[in-house]
Amino acid sequence: MSALQRAVRAYLDHLTVERGLAANTLASYRRDLDRYVSVLSAVGVDDLAAVGQREVAAHLAALRAGDDAHPPLSAASAARAASAVRGLHRFAVREGLTLHDPAREVKPPSLPRRLPKALDVTDVENLLAAVAGDGALVLRDRALLEFLYATGARISEAVGAAVDDLDLDAGTVLLHGKGGKTRLVPVGGYAREALAAYLVRGRPTLVRAGHGSPAVFVNARGGPLSRQSAWTILRRAAERAGLPVDGPHGVSPHTLRHSYATHLLDGGADIRVVQELLGHASVTTTQIYTLVTVERLREVYATAHPRAR
């Protein structure tokens, strides 16, 4: 194993043990850094100390352009790969593996600023109303959608929630977020009613059919619901509600989370509170939602103010 490969392994161990990155993020970083090692090895570089600014800049540029061995990456994937490379070099300097950071002055690829997709309140109500009935699976689907909108949970957090994480009497749920972090989030009245109906009349039937998973949301065999199945439930409800499911404006697994944040800010919630509810490490991540609110204010002004034109 080369010194370069040992440095990458040490960095990934650091991200796993000390930073507690999610498994999916770690897998992406590992792929990104394996590609970086491969590119450097191809030009005879097998030690981070031998990497210069030129090599880093060339690699970051190739992420978007692609090469003979790799197709071009999207802006988001290229930005993530650049973050992995820059993080590796910072780690190497901090740990004394090398004396200089060649990535420090290299500008990473910029991401286009895109506003999150958010449904208006009427569309959310239509989406939730599209799941109606009294069967076990229908009760589960309605509870899941109500839960997502009431808590702003990520799909992974929703399917990862255990029954013991719920306290319907207090109206709260403990969500397990990225990096092993947890946060206590309020659960609104509509979601509490839907969850109570599902837990009493739906979930016991599903659990009896399988192995009795501790997860709140289980599949027809009693096992934990997967993220893919949760996405399918959302997609079917959106289709029944007449909402788009494909293209840039289609309803996605994050749509209810975006809508949750936007509607809270529209209702006057403090951005710091919304930051905590979403589980964002930095308020700058949450500030993207204020742009949605400003855009809506502009639309209202443009159509309603007598001197808007």
Side-chain angles (χ1 to χ4, degrees), residues 281-297:
S282 170
V283 73
T284 57
T285 308
T286 314
Q287 282 174 338
I288 186 70
Y289 294 101
T290 63
L291 297 176
V292 179
T293 300
V294 170
E295 197 63 32
R296 289 190 175 183
L297 289 175

Side-chain angles (χ1 to χ4, degrees), residues 120-209:
D120 61 33
V121 174
T122 300
D123 283 339
V124 172
E125 290 175 344
N126 290 338
L127 176 69
L128 298 175
V131 182
D134 206 41
L137 293 177
V138 174
L139 290 172
R140 179 204 63 190
D141 295 353
R142 177 60 182 260
L144 173 65
L145 298 183
E146 289 278 8
F147 181 88
L148 289 170
Y149 180 58
T151 63
R154 302 175 179 91
I155 285 281
S156 58
E157 294 170 343
V159 298
V163 173
D164 288 345
D165 294 327
L166 273 177
D167 186 343
L168 294 185
D169 291 333
T172 59
V173 62
L174 186 67
L175 296 177
H176 302 270
K178 293 182 177 181
K181 297 178 181 178
T182 60
R183 65 188 188 279
L184 196 66
V185 176
V187 180
Y190 287 102
R192 287 162 67 181
E193 290 178 8
L195 284 164
Y198 161 63
L199 292 173
V200 172
R201 304 201 308 274
R203 189 177 180 278
T205 301
L206 301 177
V207 169
R208 280 197 297 271

